């Protein structure tokens, strides 16, 4: 009887303990030291378990480790460490009894891989790892894992000295290993706010993996960098710290490629790539730029920071060739680019680059080793179709023709605005057999005889044919200066000089326009008719002011008015007949163009303009010569044919101004 009571009490105790184990798990701190010793013996890495270690029996036998840190033995500052929120391994009881642990699922929650960013390459760190097993040899005590799940992981890249820190976060990965050693990995992440997605399959050979070919197939999606998903297959081989990728082939969208690559992961990564593409699309994320005018004619340079510090933390040797390359709106075919990156300095060379019907040769250097990157560009363009180049490179669609150019430029800065404001060097460009789209230069010049122009007077159906348009620029800190601007067309000639402020997107030019005014004169190179007064073009390059320069008429009035007479003959016919009343131009000028213009409104406008010029210019000419200035009349009486107001024609002048009066009389038949 007493024995039955003891047995019953023991059974009750076992039941109570079993219930407690199922509900709260088994506190198993005593396992910590054994786990740490096993990991260090197998991998050479230090394992620290700062949280609780627990064993559970429900819903299956499992072991959970909390607040785990794994670090190399000589990593004193923890720069290479891996921190994990928790690790849970579900193990079958049968495998434990047999001595061959079978992990059905390994769940790793909140892991963070800390990767130091190094500016210089160092020798590989030595770690006390266990000797590699021979081919076919397996450790019976090594657990087999069926499934690995990673939730909310991250990879953190940091350089404390440079105060640089970047993360790939939101890493969620599921990996399964079948009995046929087929590995399948599916995962997603976020980098710089852009989503990433990876699907991978491989056949894992028997240990050891080193120096064995591992067939791999993958699909990778990065909408922020690639226009289409990347699919590839290759033979991957591990050789110490070097990952070799041979027989690489695949496609980006419908563009196939092939080649090889390798990555040396010891210390600072060294990447070597040689790829040949049929067609490659590279996405360009547009900057958030503010429109400089309501019509969106020109966008201001962005002040957003351009971060190139990542070039300091990887070395690379890259060769890319493609039958066709698309970068944003730019289209290049064929392409062959050789690039080397070392110490934060990227050097790229392109030769015989096919660009819009022509060729380009040159090199680019980007030095990101300093706080503010430096840029150098040297390029020669020959026979390039200008319109698509300018449209894709600068969103400029007003100039077409065959382009030849030589560029030697350098700059520095952390944003678009800074780079353009610091641009220095030389540019020589020639456009031949093309057109200025949306602008009628001849019509603009004629309009200057009536009023100041605001903007380029654009029209969708307008154009100005050009035989040649050339200019050479010397750039210094964003100021591009030319003294030899020359435009030659069938109906227009323009020469001039000026400055373009690239940072502020403004220009200031003084040009001498000339026109071939008659249909019979089209194509002639001799005797073009000049405006007679230099024309100023200044202000924002999207909406400049265009007006005659007053100094031109004040410095040499006789010559200026002689040219105006010539212009009048070319514009409006010999002796002013084409105006139908140009003979009354003087009266029209003095009376604000209200008379003397006949039925021709342009004659009245021209009279008003010249009248204003006379009233403003002649008083200044009389200084020091006792020429009395005539104030403008308070009211203007309508002119009648019977009695034209002679005093309104020309202000009284001394004998010194008689030659000018003679010129004006000849000009206007008065």
């Amino acid at each position: 009887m007493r024995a039955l009571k003891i047995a019953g009490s023991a059974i009750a105790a076992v039941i109570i303990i079993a219930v407690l184990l199922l509900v709260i798990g088994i506190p198993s701190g005593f396992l910590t030291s054994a786990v740490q010793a096993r990991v260090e013996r197998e991998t050479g890495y230090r394992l620290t378990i700062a949280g609780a270690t627990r064993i559970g029996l429900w819903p299956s036998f499992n072991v959970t480790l909390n607040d785990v840190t794994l670090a190399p033995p000589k990593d004193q500052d923890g720069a290479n460490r891996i921190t994990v929120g928790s690790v849970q391994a579900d193990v079958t009881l049968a495998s434990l009894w047999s001595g061959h642990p079978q992990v059905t699922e390994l769940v790793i929650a909140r892991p963070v891989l800390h990767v130091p960013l190094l500016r210089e390459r160092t020798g590989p760190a030595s770690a006390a790892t266990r000797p590699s097993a021979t081919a076919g040899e397996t450790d019976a005590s090594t657990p087999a894992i069926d499934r690995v799940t990673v939730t909310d992981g991250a990879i953190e890249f940091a350089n404390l000295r440079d105060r640089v820190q970047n993360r790939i976060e939101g890493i969620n990965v599921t990996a399964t290993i079948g009995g046929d050693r087929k590995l399948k990995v599916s995962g997603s992440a976020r980098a710089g706010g852009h989503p990433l997605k990876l699907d991978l399959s491989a056949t894992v050979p028997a240990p050891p993996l080193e120096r064995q070919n591992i067939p791999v197939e993958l699909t990778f999606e990065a909408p922020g960098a690639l226009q289409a998903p990347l699919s590839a297959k290759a033979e991957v081989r591990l050789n110490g710290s070097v990952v070799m990728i041979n027989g690489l082939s695949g496609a980006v969208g419908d563009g196939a490629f092939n080649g090889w690559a390798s990555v040396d992961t010891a210390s600072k990564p060294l990447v070597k790539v040689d790829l040949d593409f049929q067609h490659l699309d590279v996405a360009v994320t547009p900057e958030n730029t503010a429109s400089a005018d309501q019509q969106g004619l020109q966008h201001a340079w962005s002040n957003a920071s351009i971060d190139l510090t990542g070039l300091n933390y990887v070395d690379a040797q890259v060769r890319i060739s493609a039958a066709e390359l698309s970068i944003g709106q730019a289209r290049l075919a064929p392409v062959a680019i050789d690039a080397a990156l070392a110490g934060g300095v990227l050097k790229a060379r392109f030769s015989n680059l096919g660009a819009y019907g022509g060729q380009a040769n040159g090199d680019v250097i980007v030095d990101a080793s300093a706080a503010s990157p430096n840029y150098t560009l040297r390029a020669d363009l020959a026979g390039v179709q200008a319109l698509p180049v300018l449209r894709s490179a600068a969103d400029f669609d007003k100039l077409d023709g065959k382009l030849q150019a030589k560029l030697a430029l350098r700059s520095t800065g952390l944003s678009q605005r800074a780079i353009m404001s610091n641009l220095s060097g030389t540019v020589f460009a020639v456009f031949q057999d093309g057109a200025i789209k949306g602008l009628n230069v001849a019509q603009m010049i004629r309009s200057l005889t009536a009023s100041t122009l605001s903007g380029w007077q654009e029209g969708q159906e307008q154009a100005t044919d050009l035989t040649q348009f050339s200019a050479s620029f010397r750039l210094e800190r964003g100021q591009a200066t030319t003294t030899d601007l020359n435009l030659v067309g069938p109906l227009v000639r323009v020469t001039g000089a000026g400055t373009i402020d690239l940072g502020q997107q403004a220009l200031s030019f003084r040009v001498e326009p000339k026109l071939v005014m008659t249909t019979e004169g089209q194509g002639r190179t001799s005797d073009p008719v000049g405006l007679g007064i230099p024309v100023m073009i200044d202000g924002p390059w999207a909406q400049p002011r265009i007006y005659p320069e007053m100094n031109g008429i004040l410095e040499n009035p006789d010559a200026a008015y002689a040219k105006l007479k010539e212009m009048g003959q070319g514009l409006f016919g010999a002796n002013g007949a084409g105006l139908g009343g140009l003979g009354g131009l003087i009266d029209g000028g003095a009376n604000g163009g209200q008379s003397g213009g006949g039925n021709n409104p342009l004659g009245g406008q021209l009279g008003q303009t010249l009248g204003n010029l006379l009233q403003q210019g002649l008083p200044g000419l009389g200084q020091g010569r006792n020429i009395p200035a005539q104030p403008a009349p308070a009211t203007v009486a309508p002119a009648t044919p019977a009695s034209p107001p002679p005093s309104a024609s020309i202000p009284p002048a001394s004998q010194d101004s008689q030659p000018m009066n003679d010129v004006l009389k000849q000009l206007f038949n008065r």
Side-chain angles (χ1 to χ4, degrees):
M1 190 66 151
R2 183 178 177 84
L4 290 175
K5 288 183 178 180
I6 294 174
S9 298
I11 293 173
V14 170
I15 293 174
I16 293 172
I17 293 173
V19 171
L20 291 174
L21 291 175
L22 293 174
V23 174
I24 66 174
I26 303 174
S28 304
F30 63 88
L31 292 179
T32 300
S33 59
V35 173
Q36 291 172 333
R38 174 66 181 269
V39 169
E40 186 168 352
R41 184 173 69 251
E42 294 290 335
T43 67
Y45 282 74
R46 299 192 322 269
L47 178 67
T48 303
I49 304 174
T53 302
R54 306 176 66 85
I55 298 176
L57 299 176
W58 184 264
S60 62
F61 182 82
N62 59 79
V63 178
T64 303
L65 308 177
N66 293 285
D67 296 333
V68 178
T69 301
L70 189 66
K74 295 184 178 181
D75 183 23
Q76 301 299 325
D77 57 2
N80 289 287
R81 71 190 186 280
I82 302 174
T83 59
V84 182
S86 66
V87 179
Q88 177 178 316
D90 294 342
V91 185
T92 61
L93 289 174
S95 66
L96 288 177
W97 307 137
S98 67
H100 300 282
Q102 181 72 30
V103 179
T104 57
E105 184 171 19
L106 182 66
V107 180
I108 305 173
R110 303 181 305 281
V112 179
L113 172 60
H114 298 266
V115 179
L117 297 176
L118 305 177
R119 281 182 173 263
E120 302 294 337
R121 289 182 57 80
T122 60
S126 59
T129 59
R130 71 188 291 242
S132 299
T134 58
E137 178 186 356
T138 59
D139 192 338
S141 62
T142 301
I145 303 175
D146 296 337
R147 180 185 179 94
V148 177
T149 302
V150 177
T151 61
D152 197 20
I155 302 176
E156 184 176 279
F157 305 92
N159 185 299
L160 298 180
R161 188 191 69 177
D162 296 344
R163 298 181 180 179
V164 173
Q165 182 173 342
N166 293 303
R167 289 170 64 93
I168 299 176
E169 53 191 8
I171 299 176
N172 295 284
V173 177
T174 300
T176 59
I177 304 176
D180 55 356
R181 310 191 70 85
K182 292 287 188 180
L183 170 66
K184 293 186 177 181
V185 179
S186 178
S188 62
R190 296 188 308 276
H194 299 291
L196 306 175
K197 185 178 180 182
L198 173 69
D199 291 298
L200 179 147
S201 62
T203 302
V204 182
L209 299 181
E210 190 166 350
R211 297 182 182 178
Q212 293 197 66
N213 287 335
I214 305 174
V216 175
E217 296 185 10
L218 65 85
T219 301
F220 178 67
E221 297 180 26
L226 298 175
Q227 297 276 25
L230 181 151
S231 59
K233 60 181 180 179
E235 298 283 339
V236 178
R237 174 177 291 195
L238 306 178
N239 186 7
S241 62
V242 180
V243 180
M244 296 180 291
I245 306 172
N246 299 315
L248 177 60
S249 63
V252 180
D254 57 356
F257 66 89
N258 60 78
W260 61 269
S262 70
V263 181
D264 187 349
T265 59
S267 69
K268 183 180 181 180
L270 172 60
V271 179
K272 297 181 180 180
V273 174
D274 189 337
L275 294 177
D276 179 49
F277 291 85
Q278 290 183 358
H279 179 84
L280 177 61
D281 281 335
V282 179
V284 176
T285 303
E287 297 286 347
N288 293 326
T289 55
S291 177
D293 60 273
Q294 293 181 353
Q295 295 179 347
L297 297 176
Q298 182 63 42
H299 295 287
W301 303 121
S302 171
N303 286 315
S305 178
I306 300 174
D307 187 5
L308 298 177
T309 55
L311 297 179
N312 290 283
Y313 310 120
V314 62
D315 291 343
Q317 299 173 12
V318 178
R319 177 175 176 81
I320 299 292
S321 56
E324 183 178 11
L325 172 64
S326 301
I327 305 177
Q329 296 182 359
R331 300 291 184 268
L332 305 174
V335 175
I337 300 174
D338 289 286
L341 174 62
V345 180
L346 173 64
K347 298 180 180 180
R349 177 178 295 274
F350 51 92
S351 58
N352 298 325
L353 188 72
Y356 300 103
Q359 283 190 338
N361 296 275
D363 52 70
V364 178
I365 300 176
V366 179
D367 185 351
S369 60
S372 181
N374 296 309
Y375 312 89
T376 303
L377 169 65
R378 182 195 62 80
D380 293 336
L381 307 180
V384 175
Q385 194 68 32
L387 183 62
V389 171
L390 296 175
R391 181 188 291 128
S392 61
D395 198 23
F396 182 78
D397 59 357
K398 300 301 181 187
L399 193 58
D400 197 8
K402 287 293 185 179
L403 169 63
Q404 286 187 267
K406 289 184 177 293
L407 301 91
L409 300 171
R410 64 187 182 277
S411 187
T412 182
L414 290 170
S415 66
Q416 280 186 354
R417 183 182 295 276
I419 294 171
M420 299 306 295
S421 298
N422 292 321
L423 202 61
S424 300
T426 58
V427 173
F428 175 74
V430 178
F431 301 84
Q432 294 180 318
D433 300 328
I436 301 175
K437 303 290 186 179
L439 304 179
N440 188 326
V441 176
Q443 180 176 317
M444 290 173 61
I445 295 172
R446 292 188 183 100
S447 299
L448 287 175
T449 64
S451 63
T452 296
L453 303 182
S454 178
W456 293 109
Q457 313 300 303
E458 295 176 272
Q460 187 175 2
E461 302 300 327
Q462 300 186 35
T464 299
D465 292 336
L466 60 88
T467 304
Q468 179 171 297
F469 177 36
S470 64
S472 62
F473 291 90
R474 181 171 296 278
L475 291 84
E476 189 66 34
R477 299 193 64 81
Q479 304 293 315
T481 303
T482 181
T483 58
D484 58 1
L485 184 145
N486 186 30
L487 187 154
V488 179
L491 293 175
V492 65
R493 312 282 191 271
V494 178
T495 59
T499 300
I500 301 176
D501 188 335
L502 298 174
Q504 298 300 321
Q505 298 186 341
L507 49 79
S508 176
F509 273 82
R510 184 179 188 268
V511 299
E512 294 277 355
K514 296 183 179 181
L515 302 179
V516 178
M517 299 299 179
T518 63
T519 304
E520 292 79 5
Q522 291 187 19
R524 295 193 312 170
T525 58
S526 61
D527 301 329
V529 178
L531 181 60
I533 306 173
V535 173
M536 301 302 297
I537 306 174
D538 64 20
W541 65 34
Q543 195 79 6
R545 290 191 313 143
I546 307 174
Y547 56 92
E549 183 190 30
M550 281 297 301
N551 291 338
I553 196 171
L554 297 180
E555 291 171 358
N556 193 347
D558 292 345
Y561 284 119
K563 289 185 178 181
L564 278 174
K565 177 183 178 182
E566 183 183 12
M567 180 192 69
Q569 293 175 352
L571 282 170
F572 312 115
N575 299 320
L579 277 176
L582 185 58
L585 182 59
I586 301 262
D587 295 335
N591 291 287
Q594 296 183 26
S595 65
N599 295 323
N600 191 317
L602 184 56
Q605 292 176 347
L606 181 59
Q608 179 180 3
T609 300
L610 293 180
N612 292 336
L613 292 175
L614 290 172
Q615 291 181 23
Q616 297 176 34
L618 291 177
L621 291 173
Q623 293 179 4
R625 292 191 287 177
N626 298 321
I627 301 177
Q630 297 296 319
T635 59
V636 179
T640 61
S643 58
S647 61
S649 299
I650 304 176
S654 66
Q655 186 176 359
D656 293 338
S657 62
Q658 187 60 39
M660 184 185 302
N661 290 332
D662 294 340
V663 171
L664 294 173
K665 290 178 181 179
Q666 295 175 11
L667 173 62
F668 301 116
N669 287 327
R670 294 298 300 254

